[in-house]
Amino acid sequence: MNSIPKIVILGAGYGGILTAQRLQKALNYNEADVTLVNRHEYHYFTTHLHMPAAGTDSIDHSRVAISKLIDEFKIDLVKSSVQEIRTQQKKVILEDGTLSYDYLVIALGGEPETFGIPGLDKYAMTIRSINSVRLIREHIEYQFAKYKNENNLQEHINFVIGGAGFSGIEFVAELADRIPELCKEYDVDPGLVNIYNVEAAPTALPGFAPELVEHAMNVLTKKGVAFKIGVAIKECMPNGVLLATGEEIKASTIVWTGGIRGNRLIEAAGFEAMRGRVKVDEFLRAPGHDNIFIIGDGSLMIGPEGRPYPPTAQIAMQQGECCAHNLVAAIRNQQPKKFVFSNKGTVASLGKGQGIAVVGDKKIKGFVAAQLKKVVDIRYLFTIGGIPLVLKKGKFL
């Protein structure tokens, strides 16, 4: 008698949670033993974290208990941190135990890519988790409190955000919206506060049409954001940053949003990777491992234009659904299906009532784009938790 195949899913982010949910729908009882490993008891919405980081929304709107999303009679949830992946032994080493597997899904998410910039990993904060977001919000509020108590030292109300991609732009937009409220609370002149957005690339928001990028920069400039585009951060220091131009910006708050790499556990496991991302096959499998699937930030897939797909929530969700299908196919000795990315559009928030979006060949900006962002968020909540989660976590106004 054959034993029941063991499926282990590492990570309950966008890809991992969709994989688990689709498996619990597709598998019959006792057809497979599925374990979902996550370091927290909650799933959080990475694309929403810029708001609580700036203090413009509650942290509770950015997370939901995993137990509310899965059937614990079908999926075994293990709260633990992954320490090592041993592919030869088909084992995963956790901080408090070991799991063996027949099929492995690596959906561990990404890590900040510092590009070797000195001091960045030590002195800059990142928007990557609920805990990091809580730290950023409290740190910002603390700087306003310190400003008045330390002889109006300017660096306390200077803010440097490295990176003008999605995360950077959305965060500076929310921060700019929050500044007037903080200034009123702490009796600080809003005209003295500086928000610098530094980007090494020649343009902000890569992937958007120039007219939408221009609109975004105009909106944020009016909100008080100073852009330094085409300028790299050369060094990050305890009290500011040194730019490649030689300019030094004194600031007590540096937030880095300049890049994502795959989880270091992937490289440590022996997979051939580029910045922690593995070039998976058309079925989302790791090269040379028909029983290991890598999805989300740890996977590298080349699009029809010959460029890698950016690691977005949208692609991770679609990979999760395809991965679950192919796991079921493997168990049932059926043919897997190829992963084909379907681009539903791209939306970036520019703060309260503002945004830019591309849907098909349509370019949208302003209030309509801002509402479209809310629709995207509500659609995801409905996908993973139905109407009850939409009513509990959704933002309609």
Side-chain angles (χ1 to χ4, degrees), residues 23-67:
L23 282 176
Q24 73 183 16
K25 286 182 181 180
L27 290 171
N28 299 317
Y29 277 103
N30 295 324
E31 194 173 8
D33 180 3
V34 183
T35 302
L36 175 61
V37 180
N38 199 58
R39 69 170 64 183
H40 306 294
E41 294 173 336
Y42 52 82
H43 163 77
Y44 60 87
F45 318 132
T46 310
T47 56
H48 191 266
L49 291 181
H50 58 282
M51 299 177 73
T56 55
D57 195 18
S58 163
I59 281 176
D60 283 338
H61 280 145
S62 298
R63 65 180 176 182
V64 58
I66 296 172
S67 60

Coordinates of all heavy atoms in Angstrom, one line a residue, residues 23-67:
L23 N -5.5 23.8 -3.5 CA -5.3 22.4 -3.2 C -6.4 21.9 -2.3 O -6.9 20.8 -2.6 CB -4.0 22.2 -2.5 CG -2.7 22.2 -3.3 CD1 -1.5 22.1 -2.4 CD2 -2.7 21.1 -4.3
Q24 N -6.9 22.6 -1.3 CA -7.9 22.1 -0.5 C -9.3 22.0 -1.2 O -10.1 21.2 -0.8 CB -8.1 23.0 0.8 CG -8.7 24.4 0.6 CD -8.7 25.2 1.9 OE1 -8.0 24.9 2.9 NE2 -9.5 26.2 1.9
K25 N -9.4 22.7 -2.3 CA -10.6 22.6 -3.1 C -10.5 21.4 -4.0 O -11.5 20.7 -4.3 CB -10.9 23.9 -3.9 CG -11.4 25.1 -3.1 CD -11.7 26.2 -4.0 CE -12.1 27.4 -3.2 NZ -12.4 28.6 -4.1
A26 N -9.3 21.2 -4.6 CA -9.2 20.2 -5.7 C -8.9 18.8 -5.1 O -9.3 17.8 -5.8 CB -8.0 20.6 -6.6
L27 N -8.3 18.7 -4.0 CA -7.9 17.3 -3.5 C -9.1 16.6 -2.7 O -9.8 17.3 -2.0 CB -6.7 17.4 -2.6 CG -5.4 17.8 -3.2 CD1 -4.3 18.1 -2.1 CD2 -4.9 16.7 -4.1
N28 N -9.1 15.4 -2.9 CA -10.1 14.6 -2.1 C -9.4 14.3 -0.8 O -8.2 14.4 -0.6 CB -10.4 13.3 -2.8 CG -11.0 13.5 -4.2 OD1 -11.9 14.3 -4.3 ND2 -10.6 12.7 -5.2
Y29 N -10.3 13.9 0.2 CA -9.8 13.6 1.5 C -8.8 12.4 1.4 O -9.0 11.4 0.6 CB -10.9 13.2 2.5 CG -11.6 14.4 3.1 CD1 -12.8 14.9 2.6 CD2 -10.9 15.1 4.1 CE1 -13.4 16.0 3.2 CE2 -11.5 16.2 4.7 CZ -12.7 16.7 4.3 OH -13.3 17.8 4.8
N30 N -7.7 12.5 2.1 CA -6.7 11.4 2.1 C -6.0 11.2 0.8 O -5.3 10.2 0.6 CB -7.2 10.1 2.6 CG -7.7 10.2 4.1 OD1 -7.1 10.8 4.9 ND2 -8.8 9.5 4.4
E31 N -6.1 12.2 -0.1 CA -5.4 12.1 -1.4 C -4.0 12.7 -1.2 O -3.1 12.2 -2.0 CB -6.2 12.9 -2.5 CG -5.7 12.5 -3.9 CD -6.5 13.1 -5.0 OE1 -7.4 14.0 -4.7 OE2 -6.3 12.8 -6.2
A32 N -3.8 13.6 -0.3 CA -2.5 14.1 0.0 C -2.5 14.7 1.3 O -3.5 15.2 1.9 CB -2.1 15.2 -1.1
D33 N -1.3 14.8 1.9 CA -1.1 15.4 3.2 C -0.4 16.7 3.0 O 0.7 16.8 2.6 CB -0.2 14.5 4.1 CG 0.1 15.1 5.5 OD1 -0.5 16.1 5.8 OD2 0.8 14.4 6.2
V34 N -1.2 17.8 3.2 CA -0.7 19.2 2.9 C -0.3 20.0 4.1 O -1.1 20.1 5.0 CB -1.7 20.0 2.0 CG1 -1.1 21.3 1.6 CG2 -2.1 19.2 0.8
T35 N 0.9 20.5 4.2 CA 1.4 21.3 5.3 C 1.8 22.7 4.8 O 2.5 22.8 3.8 CB 2.6 20.7 6.0 OG1 2.2 19.4 6.5 CG2 3.0 21.5 7.2
L36 N 1.3 23.7 5.4 CA 1.6 25.1 5.1 C 2.5 25.7 6.2 O 2.0 25.7 7.4 CB 0.3 25.9 4.9 CG 0.5 27.4 4.7 CD1 1.3 27.7 3.4 CD2 -0.8 28.1 4.6
V37 N 3.7 26.1 5.9 CA 4.6 26.6 6.9 C 4.7 28.1 6.8 O 4.9 28.6 5.7 CB 6.0 26.0 6.8 CG1 6.9 26.6 7.8 CG2 5.9 24.5 6.9
N38 N 4.5 28.8 7.9 CA 4.6 30.3 7.8 C 5.1 30.8 9.2 O 4.8 30.2 10.2 CB 3.3 31.0 7.5 CG 3.4 32.4 7.0 OD1 4.1 32.6 6.0 ND2 2.8 33.4 7.7
R39 N 5.9 31.8 9.2 CA 6.5 32.3 10.4 C 5.5 33.0 11.3 O 5.7 33.2 12.5 CB 7.8 33.1 10.2 CG 7.4 34.5 9.6 CD 8.7 35.4 9.6 NE 9.7 34.8 8.7 CZ 10.9 35.4 8.6 NH1 11.2 36.5 9.3 NH2 11.9 34.8 7.8
H40 N 4.4 33.5 10.7 CA 3.4 34.2 11.5 C 2.1 33.4 11.3 O 1.9 32.7 10.4 CB 3.2 35.6 11.0 CG 4.5 36.5 10.9 ND1 5.1 36.8 12.1 CD2 5.2 37.0 9.9 CE1 6.2 37.5 11.8 NE2 6.3 37.6 10.5
E41 N 1.1 33.7 12.2 CA -0.2 33.1 12.1 C -1.1 33.9 11.2 O -2.3 33.5 11.0 CB -0.8 33.0 13.5 CG -0.1 32.1 14.5 CD -0.6 32.2 15.9 OE1 -1.2 33.2 16.3 OE2 -0.4 31.2 16.7
Y42 N -0.6 34.9 10.6 CA -1.4 35.7 9.7 C -0.8 35.8 8.3 O 0.4 35.6 8.1 CB -1.6 37.1 10.3 CG -0.3 37.8 10.6 CD1 0.5 38.5 9.7 CD2 0.1 37.8 11.9 CE1 1.6 39.1 10.0 CE2 1.3 38.5 12.3 CZ 2.1 39.1 11.3 OH 3.2 39.7 11.7
H43 N -1.7 36.1 7.3 CA -1.3 36.4 5.9 C -1.4 37.9 5.8 O -2.4 38.5 6.3 CB -2.2 35.7 5.0 CG -2.2 36.3 3.6 ND1 -1.2 36.0 2.7 CD2 -3.1 37.1 2.9 CE1 -1.5 36.6 1.5 NE2 -2.6 37.3 1.7
Y44 N -0.4 38.6 5.2 CA -0.5 40.0 5.1 C -0.4 40.5 3.7 O 0.1 39.8 2.8 CB 0.5 40.8 6.0 CG 2.0 40.5 5.6 CD1 2.7 41.2 4.7 CD2 2.7 39.5 6.4 CE1 4.0 40.9 4.4 CE2 4.0 39.3 6.1 CZ 4.7 40.0 5.1 OH 6.0 39.7 4.8
F45 N -1.0 41.6 3.4 CA -1.1 42.2 2.0 C 0.1 43.1 1.8 O 0.0 44.3 2.1 CB -2.4 42.9 1.9 CG -3.6 42.2 2.5 CD1 -4.5 42.9 3.3 CD2 -3.8 40.8 2.3 CE1 -5.6 42.2 3.9 CE2 -4.9 40.2 2.9 CZ -5.8 40.9 3.7
T46 N 1.1 42.6 1.1 CA 2.3 43.4 0.9 C 2.0 44.6 0.1 O 2.6 45.7 0.4 CB 3.3 42.5 0.1 OG1 3.5 41.2 0.7 CG2 4.7 43.2 0.0
T47 N 1.1 44.6 -0.8 CA 0.8 45.8 -1.6 C 0.0 46.9 -0.9 O -0.2 47.9 -1.4 CB -0.1 45.4 -2.9 OG1 -1.3 44.7 -2.4 CG2 0.7 44.4 -3.8
H48 N -0.3 46.6 0.4 CA -1.0 47.6 1.2 C -0.2 48.2 2.3 O -0.6 49.1 3.0 CB -2.3 46.8 1.8 CG -3.2 47.8 2.5 ND1 -3.2 48.1 3.8 CD2 -4.3 48.4 1.9 CE1 -4.2 48.9 4.1 NE2 -4.9 49.1 3.0
L49 N 1.0 47.6 2.5 CA 1.9 48.0 3.6 C 2.3 49.4 3.7 O 2.7 50.0 4.7 CB 3.1 47.0 3.7 CG 2.8 45.6 4.1 CD1 4.1 44.8 4.1 CD2 2.1 45.5 5.4
H50 N 2.4 50.1 2.5 CA 2.9 51.5 2.5 C 2.0 52.4 3.3 O 2.4 53.4 3.8 CB 3.0 52.0 1.0 CG 1.7 51.9 0.3 ND1 1.2 50.7 -0.3 CD2 0.8 52.9 0.0 CE1 0.0 51.0 -0.9 NE2 -0.2 52.3 -0.8
M51 N 0.7 52.0 3.4 CA -0.3 52.9 4.1 C 0.0 52.9 5.7 O 0.2 53.9 6.3 CB -1.7 52.5 3.7 CG -2.0 52.8 2.3 SD -3.6 52.3 1.8 CE -4.6 53.6 2.4
P52 N -0.1 51.7 6.3 CA 0.2 51.7 7.7 C 1.6 52.1 8.0 O 1.9 52.6 9.1 CB 0.0 50.2 8.1 CG 0.0 49.4 6.9 CD -0.5 50.4 5.8
A53 N 2.6 51.9 7.1 CA 4.0 52.4 7.3 C 4.0 53.9 7.5 O 4.7 54.4 8.4 CB 4.9 51.9 6.2
A54 N 3.2 54.6 6.7 CA 3.1 56.0 6.8 C 2.2 56.5 7.9 O 2.2 57.6 8.3 CB 2.7 56.6 5.5
G55 N 1.3 55.6 8.4 CA 0.4 55.9 9.4 C -0.9 56.4 8.9 O -1.7 57.0 9.7
T56 N -1.2 56.2 7.6 CA -2.5 56.6 7.1 C -3.6 55.5 7.1 O -4.7 55.8 6.7 CB -2.3 57.1 5.6 OG1 -1.7 56.0 4.8 CG2 -1.4 58.3 5.5
D57 N -3.2 54.4 7.6 CA -4.2 53.3 7.7 C -3.8 52.4 8.9 O -2.6 52.3 9.3 CB -4.4 52.5 6.4 CG -5.7 51.7 6.4 OD1 -6.6 51.9 7.3 OD2 -5.8 50.7 5.6
S58 N -4.8 51.6 9.3 CA -4.5 50.6 10.4 C -3.8 49.4 9.9 O -4.0 48.9 8.8 CB -5.8 50.2 11.0 OG -5.7 49.1 11.8
I59 N -2.9 48.9 10.8 CA -2.2 47.6 10.4 C -3.2 46.5 10.3 O -3.0 45.6 9.4 CB -1.1 47.3 11.5 CG1 0.1 48.2 11.3 CG2 -0.7 45.9 11.5 CD1 1.2 48.1 12.4
D60 N -4.2 46.5 11.0 CA -5.2 45.4 11.0 C -5.9 45.3 9.6 O -6.3 44.2 9.3 CB -6.3 45.6 12.1 CG -5.8 45.2 13.4 OD1 -4.8 44.4 13.5 OD2 -6.3 45.7 14.4
H61 N -5.9 46.3 8.8 CA -6.4 46.3 7.5 C -5.5 45.6 6.5 O -5.9 45.3 5.4 CB -6.7 47.7 6.9 CG -8.0 48.2 7.4 ND1 -8.2 49.6 7.7 CD2 -9.2 47.6 7.8 CE1 -9.4 49.8 8.1 NE2 -10.1 48.6 8.2
S62 N -4.2 45.3 7.0 CA -3.2 44.7 6.1 C -3.0 43.3 6.4 O -2.0 42.7 5.8 CB -1.9 45.5 6.3 OG -2.1 46.9 5.9
R63 N -3.7 42.6 7.3 CA -3.5 41.2 7.6 C -4.8 40.5 7.9 O -5.8 41.1 8.3 CB -2.5 41.1 8.7 CG -2.9 41.6 10.0 CD -1.9 41.5 11.1 NE -2.3 42.1 12.4 CZ -1.5 42.1 13.5 NH1 -0.3 41.6 13.4 NH2 -2.0 42.7 14.6
V64 N -4.7 39.2 7.8 CA -5.8 38.4 8.2 C -5.3 37.0 8.7 O -4.3 36.5 8.2 CB -6.8 38.1 7.0 CG1 -6.1 37.5 5.8 CG2 -8.0 37.3 7.4
A65 N -5.9 36.5 9.7 CA -5.5 35.2 10.3 C -5.5 34.1 9.2 O -6.6 34.0 8.6 CB -6.3 34.8 11.5
I66 N -4.5 33.3 9.1 CA -4.5 32.2 8.1 C -5.5 31.2 8.4 O -6.1 30.6 7.5 CB -3.1 31.6 8.1 CG1 -2.0 32.6 7.6 CG2 -3.1 30.4 7.2 CD1 -0.6 32.1 7.8
S67 N -5.9 31.0 9.7 CA -6.9 30.1 10.1 C -8.3 30.5 9.5 O -9.2 29.6 9.3 CB -7.0 30.0 11.6 OG -7.3 31.3 12.2

